[in-house]
Amino acid sequence: MNILDEEFAEFQKLPTEEKIECFEKNGRIFDMIISQQLNREILDDIYRITNCLRHISKSKAGSLFMQNILCHKRAMLWFTQPSSRTFLSFESACHMLGMRTSEIRDVSVSSEVKGESHDDSLRTFSSYTDLIIMRHKGENISERAAWLLNTRTNRPVPVINGGSGSDQHPTQAILDVYTLQRSFVNQGGLDGKTILMCGDLNRGRTVRSLSYLMKNFEDIRIIYAAPRAFQMRDDVCDFLNKNKIPYVVETETLEKVLPEADAVYMTRIQDEHDVTAGESGRTDTSRFKLSLSDLSKVKPNAVIMHPFPRRDEIEVAIDSDPRAMYWRQERNGMWTRAALVAYIFDVQNEILDY
Ligand code: NCD
């Protein structure tokens, strides 16, 4: 343990409400680390910017205008865990706003192989860029990065968590809720809906971040469908209890709860987190997959979502069903991430006034 390890351990003991103050500046979000930082007002702001960017980008003049918005800023994508969607959508989002980007995708080409600490690499990278977007297998690495830059350096740059271990993936939750809100635009929005989450709820960071965001909506009900071994962890369940968000746990079969759902959010088994070889394979997940024959049990107005990558949780034949929203959901990622970056740099008025 070095002194930073000790100090960060103290920081982590703080209640979430106090911790997230460290990720704010002038009453605004500076670093995007965990979903609990987001409230309805901020989400609505980000979605307003998202809609505006989508509209502006339709014309050449609009695209050129967007290219100017952050052309004086640089972003670094530090993605040392596999990623295609999140990486590309962030890179495209930055480019859309005129930012130049650089990247590290492989620790084996970084000085960490020479024994440099992650903290020192971070300080080095932060001196060449104005924004760091991170994906890492470690649970609290983005949190530590934001804490270190904000409290131990003179030139903090914002940090965005692009996925941290099996803990959180807040920008996925932002795009998921955007997709849900748009899908339910003629049904009163997300308020009052039942969200069914299925798959590896224990180690999947997307369903964790999405669950935390549900506190911003009225009368939400959650159904967690997974075998016992893959059920949602206590920390999220405690959060739901504290915020009076009703949830039910289904451990037998997805089929039984399908008719109740307004949104069916499927996820894959996260076997990269297995501690012993073949551990995930020892649990039977066959009753937690969505096949074409199940569609008759899904409400006609419901949406089917997936953060991707997909394995066999959703049969490919379902893709052409009008309720399949996952490809649209994926495209929404680029727009909501561009909006988040614009929000962080406080340039949204330029966009909204266009
Ligand atoms: C997810 C992730 O990385 O957590 N993918 C993504 O970013 N869309 C989901 C997954 O890997 O299963």
Side-chain angles (χ1 to χ4, degrees), residues 23 38-39 41 62 67 70 85 87 94 97 144 161 166 190 198 235 243 248 254 256 260 294 302 304 319:
F23 311 135
L38 295 158
N39 59 34
E41 202 184 321
Q67 291 278 312
L70 287 173
R85 251 162 305 279
F87 180 87
C94 291
L97 298 170
R144 179 164 175 149
N161 177 2
S166 62
L190 179 49
C198 178
D235 54 351
N243 287 282
V248 291
L254 169 64
K256 196 169 109 194
E260 298 173 41
D294 291 320
I304 301 166
D319 293 11

Side-chain angles (χ1 to χ4, degrees), residues 81-83 85-86 135 162-163 165 168-169 172 175 203-206 267-270 272 306-310 337:
Q81 228 193 355
S83 178
R85 251 162 305 279
T86 308
R135 168 170 288 202
Q168 283 232 18
H169 195 351
Q172 179 71 41
L175 78 93
R203 301 173 299 181
R205 52 196 175 193
T206 62
T267 64
R268 72 179 171 93
I269 301 304
Q270 310 276 317
E272 68 269 39
H306 197 302
F308 286 130
R310 155 173 66 176
R337 286 174 172 131

Side-chain angles (χ1 to χ4, degrees), residues 23 29-37 78-79 81 86 90 131-146 158-174 205 209 337 340 344:
F23 311 135
I29 287 188
F30 183 71
D31 309 286
M32 181 70 259
I33 306 298
I34 56 174
S35 280
Q36 293 95 311
Q37 292 174 260
W78 191 5
F79 274 54
Q81 228 193 355
T86 308
F90 263 120
L131 167 68
I132 295 179
I133 306 164
M134 295 180 73
R135 168 170 288 202
H136 197 280
K137 68 177 187 320
E139 302 255 300
N140 300 307
I141 298 286
S142 327
E143 187 168 313
R144 179 164 175 149
V159 175
I160 297 179
N161 177 2
S164 50
S166 62
D167 182 32
Q168 283 232 18
H169 195 351
T171 65
Q172 179 71 41
I174 293 175
R205 52 196 175 193
S209 287
R337 286 174 172 131
L340 173 68
I344 286 176

Side-chain angles (χ1 to χ4, degrees), residues 224-243:
Y224 290 132
R228 187 69 61 199
F230 295 129
Q231 267 298 340
M232 187 52 85
R233 284 185 243 162
D234 287 346
D235 54 351
V236 171
C237 295
D238 291 345
F239 174 88
L240 297 178
N241 288 331
K242 210 170 110 201
N243 287 282

Side-chain angles (χ1 to χ4, degrees), residues 41-303:
E41 202 184 321
I42 301 171
L43 286 171
D44 286 346
D45 274 350
I46 293 171
Y47 298 154
R48 217 171 292 128
I49 307 168
T50 307
N51 289 337
C52 225
L53 287 174
R54 291 173 80 120
H55 181 71
I56 298 173
S57 72
K58 286 192 173 52
S59 71
K60 187 172 178 185
S63 298
L64 288 170
F65 162 80
M66 278 161 51
Q67 291 278 312
N68 242 332
I69 293 175
L70 287 173
C71 60
H72 55 308
K73 299 285 181 192
R74 292 159 296 182
M76 186 202 167
L77 291 122
W78 191 5
F79 274 54
T80 53
Q81 228 193 355
S83 178
S84 34
R85 251 162 305 279
T86 308
F87 180 87
L88 275 180
S89 66
F90 263 120
E91 190 183 50
S92 308
C94 291
H95 291 172
M96 194 195 293
L97 298 170
M99 298 178 89
R100 278 158 297 157
T101 54
S102 46
E103 63 188 66
I104 296 241
R105 300 203 64 177
D106 180 358
V107 245
S108 72
V109 297
S110 128
S111 277
E112 282 185 65
V113 284
K114 296 186 194 166
E116 183 169 74
S117 71
H118 202 269
D119 293 336
D120 285 358
S121 296
L122 170 77
R123 289 193 69 153
T124 304
F125 299 157
S126 75
S127 43
Y128 306 131
T129 192
D130 303 291
L131 167 68
I132 295 179
I133 306 164
M134 295 180 73
R135 168 170 288 202
H136 197 280
K137 68 177 187 320
E139 302 255 300
N140 300 307
I141 298 286
S142 327
E143 187 168 313
R144 179 164 175 149
W147 166 82
L148 185 102
L149 293 178
N150 289 340
T151 66
R152 300 293 182 275
T153 72
N154 297 325
R155 187 186 172 273
V157 299
V159 175
I160 297 179
N161 177 2
S164 50
S166 62
D167 182 32
Q168 283 232 18
H169 195 351
T171 65
Q172 179 71 41
I174 293 175
L175 78 93
D176 290 342
V177 166
Y178 177 76
T179 307
L180 287 163
Q181 287 276 63
R182 271 176 87 85
S183 305
F184 297 137
V185 75
N186 296 322
Q187 301 175 58
L190 179 49
D191 296 320
K193 302 294 184 294
T194 295
I195 314 298
L196 163 58
M197 303 186 202
C198 178
D200 193 342
L201 310 175
N202 182 23
R203 301 173 299 181
R205 52 196 175 193
T206 62
V207 282
R208 291 171 54 78
S209 287
L210 183 59
S211 297
Y212 284 122
L213 269 200
M214 291 301 109
K215 79 155 197 298
N216 298 301
F217 297 87
E218 304 291 326
D219 302 322
I220 295 286
R221 186 169 160 261
I222 298 179
I223 304 173
Y224 290 132
R228 187 69 61 199
F230 295 129
Q231 267 298 340
M232 187 52 85
R233 284 185 243 162
D234 287 346
D235 54 351
V236 171
C237 295
D238 291 345
F239 174 88
L240 297 178
N241 288 331
K242 210 170 110 201
N243 287 282
K244 302 195 169 41
I245 301 169
Y247 67 93
V248 291
V249 170
E250 169 56 47
T251 56
E252 294 297 317
T253 169
L254 169 64
E255 204 186 331
K256 196 169 109 194
V257 283
L258 271 182
E260 298 173 41
D262 297 297
V264 181
Y265 192 101
M266 301 296 295
T267 64
R268 72 179 171 93
I269 301 304
Q270 310 276 317
D271 42 21
E272 68 269 39
H273 297 293
D274 281 0
V275 181
T276 55
E279 179 188 326
S280 295
R282 288 195 280 276
T283 300
D284 177 12
T285 54
S286 58
R287 305 185 80 178
F288 295 91
K289 297 180 199 280
L290 198 63
S291 58
L292 205 53
S293 59
D294 291 320
L295 285 189
S296 59
K297 296 180 201 87
V298 177
K299 285 187 189 177
N301 287 337
V303 289

